[in-house]
Amino acid sequence: MKQNVKKLLAVFAAASLAAATLMGCGSGSDTKQTTETTAAEASSTEAAGEAEASADGTVYNIGICQLVQHDALDRATQGFQDALVDLLGEDAVNFDVQNAQGDSQTCATIANQFVASGYDLIMANATASLQACANATSDIPVVGTSITSFASALDIELDENACTGINVTGTNDLAPLDEQAKMLADLFPDVKQVGILYCSAEVNSVYQAEHIAEYFDEMNINHKDYSFSDSNDLQSVVTVAVSECDVLYIPTDNTAASNTSVIDNVARPAGVPVIAGEEGICKGCGLATLSISFYDIGYRAGEQAYDILVNGADPATMTVEDPASVTRMYNADIAADLGFEFGDDYNVLE
């Protein structure tokens, strides 16, 4: 891995980030976007090219594997790139951004291309991307973001400091499920049955569905799972769900996030509100959400990448970090249609 030891600004940044590393398992930061292609459009080597070298000649080549294009993941990728550009300068980092179009096998193809190209670091955006990249290499550092559970995704146990022990670190995207369940209960104290709507093919969604169900049980809230295998059966599953439930809950689910119009076209006319696990889904079909900032977790992942590239931090001993904060938000259009009013403790979605 290249060391940018001649760059004075990097030295000062490294000193401050090193202090954070001693407090847990690590830190670091920075980003930039150059091209955005699908795997079918170009090989990783062709898409990456050669960035113009910085003053001392050091250029870091980074592959970004994003599972699918939707608002939340797009913002996480942008945050990652912005962080590295802020810290390294745009001439010192070259991004190869690849979108798998929601296909896990394409994630594997992209990851293998990145490894074959000998990139300095790989960023994996979403669970399927992380799984593919971690399977593709045990040597190149992998920084994940928009991950619900690194332990579940990688089938490992994190240590007491939330470190993976392998060449992987990153940032979670999970807002506290107990607080989401409480928010739903507070908004709908007379709820008769909650429908938990999620894609069964996404391990991150299954994880959330299982755990929020435990909190609903503790609150004596009836609930029922409504899972769909892909977007093809989503409309029919939502139709059944709104006929049997008075509130729907959707976790941070990439398939749902890419098909919010399908959900909205069924749930809103039926008068059934949707509580969403993240802001992007709420914008498309939700009434309210307790959400994180995907840009912020992407930016933090970029800081971690900087620490690895410049300071030589070991991803195996860097803490997998949770979101710094969560915010209650609501969709004003859907609230108006459903005749629902919110207090000052909720922000309006922009």
Side-chain angles (χ1 to χ4, degrees):
M1 190 178 298
K2 302 170 185 157
Q3 298 294 318
N4 191 1
V5 296
K6 296 182 181 179
K7 201 160 189 176
L8 184 58
L9 290 176
V11 173
F12 286 128
S16 61
L17 286 167
T21 302
L22 293 174
M23 297 178 64
C25 295
S27 60
S29 123
D30 202 9
T31 84
K32 163 181 181 291
Q33 184 168 7
T34 54
T35 70
E36 193 161 339
T37 65
T38 65
E41 290 176 317
S43 70
S44 295
T45 302
E46 293 170 339
E50 288 297 329
E52 182 181 352
S54 59
D56 66 356
T58 302
V59 177
Y60 297 100
N61 293 306
I62 297 175
I64 297 178
C65 179
Q66 181 172 319
L67 174 61
V68 67
Q69 184 174 8
H70 64 68
D71 185 60
L73 298 189
D74 290 348
R75 283 183 283 120
T77 290
Q78 189 63 59
F80 178 84
Q81 292 176 304
D82 287 350
L84 283 170
V85 168
D86 288 347
L87 291 169
L88 291 171
E90 61 182 333
D91 291 335
V93 60
N94 184 48
F95 295 107
D96 178 2
V97 183
Q98 299 276 347
N99 193 306
Q101 305 299 327
D103 184 73
S104 59
Q105 185 54 52
T106 304
C107 287
T109 299
I110 293 169
N112 288 329
Q113 289 173 346
F114 289 166
V115 173
S117 298
Y119 285 166
D120 298 299
L121 183 140
I122 297 171
M123 191 274 258
N125 191 350
T127 297
S129 298
L130 180 71
Q131 292 170 323
C133 294
N135 286 334
T137 179
S138 58
D139 299 317
I140 298 174
V142 176
V143 177
T145 193
S146 311
I147 312 298
T148 297
S149 168
F150 278 75
S152 296
L154 301 174
D155 194 22
I156 61 174
E157 290 187 13
L158 304 186
D159 68 15
E160 65 276 9
N161 293 315
C163 304
T164 65
I166 58 176
N167 63 313
V168 177
T169 191
T171 54
N172 293 315
D173 69 354
L174 184 61
L177 291 171
D178 58 340
E179 294 183 29
Q180 292 187 41
K182 184 178 185 304
M183 183 185 77
L184 187 151
D186 289 343
L187 291 173
F188 304 100
D190 299 322
V191 61
K192 296 180 175 62
Q193 179 157 281
V194 175
I196 305 176
L197 181 70
Y198 65 96
C199 179
S200 59
E202 295 189 35
V203 63
N204 53 298
S205 300
V206 174
Y207 174 91
Q208 293 170 85
E210 291 175 348
H211 283 75
I212 201 164
E214 296 173 359
Y215 294 117
F216 287 147
D217 287 339
E218 292 175 4
M219 298 175 181
N220 296 316
I221 295 175
N222 294 326
H223 57 86
K224 182 177 178 180
D225 283 6
Y226 295 88
S227 64
F228 49 93
S229 58
D230 56 38
S231 59
N232 293 322
D233 60 344
L234 176 57
Q235 182 172 347
S236 61
V237 172
V238 177
T239 300
V240 174
V242 300
S243 71
E244 298 178 349
C245 303
D246 43 349
V247 180
L248 299 184
Y249 169 79
I250 305 176
T252 54
D253 183 289
N254 290 298
T255 306
S258 299
N259 294 275
T260 54
S261 61
V262 174
I263 300 169
D264 189 49
N265 288 340
V266 176
R268 197 183 328 191
V272 176
V274 172
I275 300 301
E278 58 95 0
E279 177 181 346
I281 294 175
C282 194
K283 283 182 179 179
C285 66
L287 172 66
T289 182
L290 179 70
S291 183
I292 66 165
S293 167
F294 277 80
Y295 180 88
D296 288 350
I297 63 168
Y299 197 98
R300 181 61 192 137
E303 291 180 325
Q304 292 174 314
Y306 173 87
D307 204 21
I308 293 167
L309 293 168
V310 176
N311 301 331
D314 182 1
T317 59
M318 295 175 70
T319 297
V320 171
E321 299 186 17
D322 294 327
S325 62
V326 293
T327 305
R328 289 179 173 84
M329 292 178 279
Y330 72 95
N331 185 319
D333 290 339
I334 292 180
D337 285 348
L338 298 181
F340 208 96
E341 295 184 358
F342 288 86
D344 293 339
D345 54 337
Y346 280 80
N347 296 330
V348 179
L349 279 169
E350 298 294 333

